[in-house]
Amino acid sequence: MSTRRQFVKQGSLLTSGLLAAPFMSRANFFSGSDDVIKVALIGCGGRGTGAAMQALMSGQNVKLVAMADAFRDRLNDCYKSLTADDLSDWTGKPGNLKDRVQVPEENKFTGFDAYKKAIPLADVVILTTPPGFRPIHFQEAIAMGKHVFMEKPVAVDPVGIRKVLEAAALAKQKKLNVVVGLQRHYQYSYRELFNNKKLIGDIVAAQAWWNNDGVWVNKRQYGQTEMEYQMRNWYYFNWLCGDHINEQHIHNIDVVNWFKGSYPVKAQGMGGREVRKGKDHGEIFDHHYVEFQYADGSILNSQCRHIPGTMSKVDELLIGTKGSIRCGQATIQDHAGKTLFAFDRQKENNPYQTEHDELFAAIAKGEYKFADAENGAKSTMTAIMGRMATYSGQVIEWDKALECGLDLSPKVYDWNAEPPVLPDEDGRYTIARPGLTKYF
């Protein structure tokens, strides 16, 4: 088994082609004297701060050595949180992680190209920007031979999905560990339900919900360029977020894909904006209802809603020929209501921590163990297909959607460049209209 230092170096060597040279001495490359796993954080918002903290708490000799974000103030806030004297509000335990945060000023990078400067300094890269940037950041990390933790979703459009799938294949070739933040895969109750799914026979139908009040709004500030405004208020623009069916409901959709062991072949649905109609609500819908169909004819009924004062529910239900899996309850029942399996809630874990614990443990042992990117891309594509169905009101087929060439990204990444969507004279953005919005 290779040492930790050897393993984290391996990807970079494959990238440069040096490892393929059969008679080259390894001495110059594998003589590292320490076992530190160096991490670069790309995206220093709230989730990035949390993910960096979980990496540093993984139990391995992890050091944060570089940070990158589009905005300096967010990078500063993140650094301040990570180096606080007491992290008990974050971790639930007294103490701090100061000795593990070793980011000198010259390793703090800002702007749209900041990731290119931070990635080369690390063994492992954490990608936690808005998902519109994920494909290009993931491509760069894999090209540079880095192990990756990246948050979901992994793209906002089919062109981005294809980029992630290509990089995922390269990551497998290079044996680079990739974990995607679809954390239910790392939650003990979900793992036990999956291990016992045969109790319900063949899965013939499913339901998934992400219904709650919604999220924050960042209002336009005086002096902001349009690009900065949209970057600050990123949740409401599809080129950055992909709508909430992509940003959050992907969790529930992914669970059904995981248990089914496949991805839908087509989707149709409805959606719109009932209450989230203000100028600061950009272009996304506040509700979607999608009927996904799998190749075997089984149906996933999926609903997500961001409307205050309505029923809140985040859950999944899988119906089989012999019974049902109720993920929220962590139980399996037969059709008569008899409990066939119940997960012991006392054994539940924090999946956000576990995904980092397992990733960094594998790297420390020199193991190639995680290849989550392909599933992350295909579950993201499922959500995108659902959005295309609700926006257009048409039946959207998987293959046709993946090949349609829809690319929401800006032509130029610059604070003074035009984003892909612009407001009208009244400050409002064009909203998709079923029946009029077309993709094919």
Side-chain angles (χ1 to χ4, degrees):
M1 180 179 292
S2 60
T3 68
R4 176 188 308 178
R5 180 52 39 190
Q6 288 171 336
F7 186 61
V8 296
K9 287 284 189 184
Q10 185 175 5
S12 298
L13 293 169
L14 281 167
T15 300
S16 65
L18 294 177
L19 198 60
F23 303 111
M24 181 169 286
S25 168
R26 293 184 168 194
N28 291 336
F29 304 103
F30 296 158
S31 59
S33 59
D34 63 66
D35 281 341
V36 172
I37 302 175
K38 298 178 182 177
V39 172
L41 173 63
I42 316 298
C44 300
R47 184 63 197 113
T49 303
M53 209 168 286
Q54 285 144 6
L56 298 175
M57 294 173 63
S58 67
Q60 308 304 324
N61 191 11
V62 177
K63 307 285 188 187
L64 181 66
V65 300
M67 301 171 69
D69 197 282
F71 298 106
R72 181 69 197 208
D73 60 298
R74 285 204 310 218
L75 189 153
N76 289 344
D77 290 345
C78 178
Y79 183 81
K80 184 178 179 181
S81 295
L82 294 173
T83 56
D85 292 332
D86 181 9
L87 292 176
S88 56
D89 287 345
W90 284 81
T91 66
K93 300 177 182 176
N96 61 65
L97 296 167
K98 287 182 175 181
D99 63 328
R100 291 174 176 261
V101 182
Q102 298 180 356
V103 187
E105 194 60 30
E106 60 267 27
N107 287 2
K108 298 175 182 175
F109 306 102
T110 56
F112 287 105
D113 64 347
Y115 70 100
K116 291 185 177 180
K117 302 167 185 172
I119 288 173
L121 303 177
D123 305 310
V124 183
V125 180
I126 295 174
L127 304 178
T128 47
T129 61
F133 294 102
R134 200 84 74 245
I136 58 174
H137 291 178
F138 182 53
Q139 281 184 317
E140 181 76 7
I142 298 305
M144 296 291 293
K146 311 302 182 183
H147 302 275
V148 171
F149 171 84
M150 61 177 169
E151 263 303 339
K152 45 44 61 181
V154 301
V156 297
D157 54 41
V159 168
I161 293 294
R162 292 174 66 88
K163 291 177 180 177
V164 173
L165 288 172
E166 290 171 4
L170 185 58
K172 285 184 179 179
Q173 180 184 333
K174 293 184 174 184
K175 298 189 183 305
L176 296 169
N177 285 292
V178 179
V179 166
V180 173
L182 291 163
Q183 82 281 351
R184 284 164 173 78
H185 290 261
Y186 295 84
Q187 187 168 343
Y188 294 165
S189 58
Y190 279 85
R191 285 177 168 179
E192 286 303 307
L193 291 172
F194 181 84
N195 291 337
N196 288 282
K197 69 172 187 172
K198 64 182 180 182
L199 293 173
I200 70 166
D202 296 331
I203 297 173
V204 295
Q207 288 182 256
W209 302 264
W210 190 293
N211 294 334
N212 57 22
D213 289 357
V215 299
W216 46 264
V217 171
N218 287 325
K219 293 186 176 297
R220 189 185 297 272
Q221 302 297 314
Y222 177 77
Q224 285 180 328
T225 65
E226 182 63 24
M227 180 68 85
E228 180 178 357
Y229 166 66
Q230 293 191 18
M231 287 282 288
R232 295 283 189 183
N233 201 27
W234 64 268
Y235 200 93
Y236 298 93
F237 296 95
N238 283 323
W239 71 274
L240 288 161
C241 166
D243 207 319
H244 65 112
I245 189 174
N246 187 50
E247 227 293 318
Q248 290 176 295
H249 192 37
I250 182 179
H251 282 298
N252 318 107
I253 293 170
D254 171 66
V255 167
V256 178
N257 288 346
W258 174 23
F259 280 59
K260 281 287 295 180
S262 61
Y263 305 91
V265 295
K266 62 183 178 180
Q268 69 86 22
M270 59 187 73
R273 289 159 63 104
E274 285 296 320
V275 300
R276 205 159 55 184
K277 299 179 177 180
K279 293 180 180 179
D280 290 312
H281 293 138
E283 57 177 337
I284 69 172
F285 283 5
D286 58 20
H287 64 282
H288 303 257
Y289 198 111
V290 183
E291 178 184 279
F292 293 100
Q293 184 171 328
Y294 293 82
D296 63 1
S298 59
I299 297 295
L300 160 61
N301 284 302
S302 142
Q303 55 178 286
C304 58
R305 178 177 60 207
H306 277 177
I307 297 180
T310 59
M311 178 196 76
S312 292
K313 185 169 186 174
V314 178
D315 202 353
E316 307 89 20
L317 170 67
L318 297 113
I319 308 296
T321 52
K322 299 179 182 176
S324 61
I325 298 174
R326 299 167 188 273
C327 295
Q329 296 178 7
T331 62
I332 298 177
Q333 299 176 1
D334 66 16
H335 289 313
K338 178 184 177 182
T339 298
L340 304 176
F341 171 81
F343 178 75
D344 181 356
R345 290 290 196 184
Q346 298 298 316
K347 297 179 179 178
E348 190 64 285
N349 63 323
N350 175 357
Y352 298 96
Q353 186 60 54
T354 299
E355 59 192 1
H356 287 273
D357 291 347
E358 295 188 1
L359 169 63
F360 283 95
I363 294 171
K365 294 175 183 174
E367 295 177 348
Y368 171 57
K369 194 172 180 181
F370 298 102
D372 291 358
E374 181 178 346
N375 175 66
K378 290 183 177 179
S379 279
T380 300
M381 185 62 211
T382 310
I384 291 171
M385 184 168 67
R387 185 192 71 213
M388 294 171 70
T390 60
Y391 278 15
S392 68
Q394 306 298 321
V395 176
I396 302 295
E397 296 176 346
W398 177 281
D399 291 341
K400 207 169 180 180
L402 188 59
E403 300 292 337
C404 75
L406 179 63
D407 181 357
L408 303 179
S409 62
K411 294 180 179 177
V412 177
Y413 290 99
D414 185 272
W415 294 119
N416 293 308
E418 285 191 351
V421 293
L422 295 172
D424 62 16
E425 292 180 354
D426 191 38
R428 296 183 180 278
Y429 299 85
T430 301
I431 311 301
R433 293 184 62 184
L436 297 178
T437 297
K438 304 287 185 184
Y439 294 107
F440 313 118

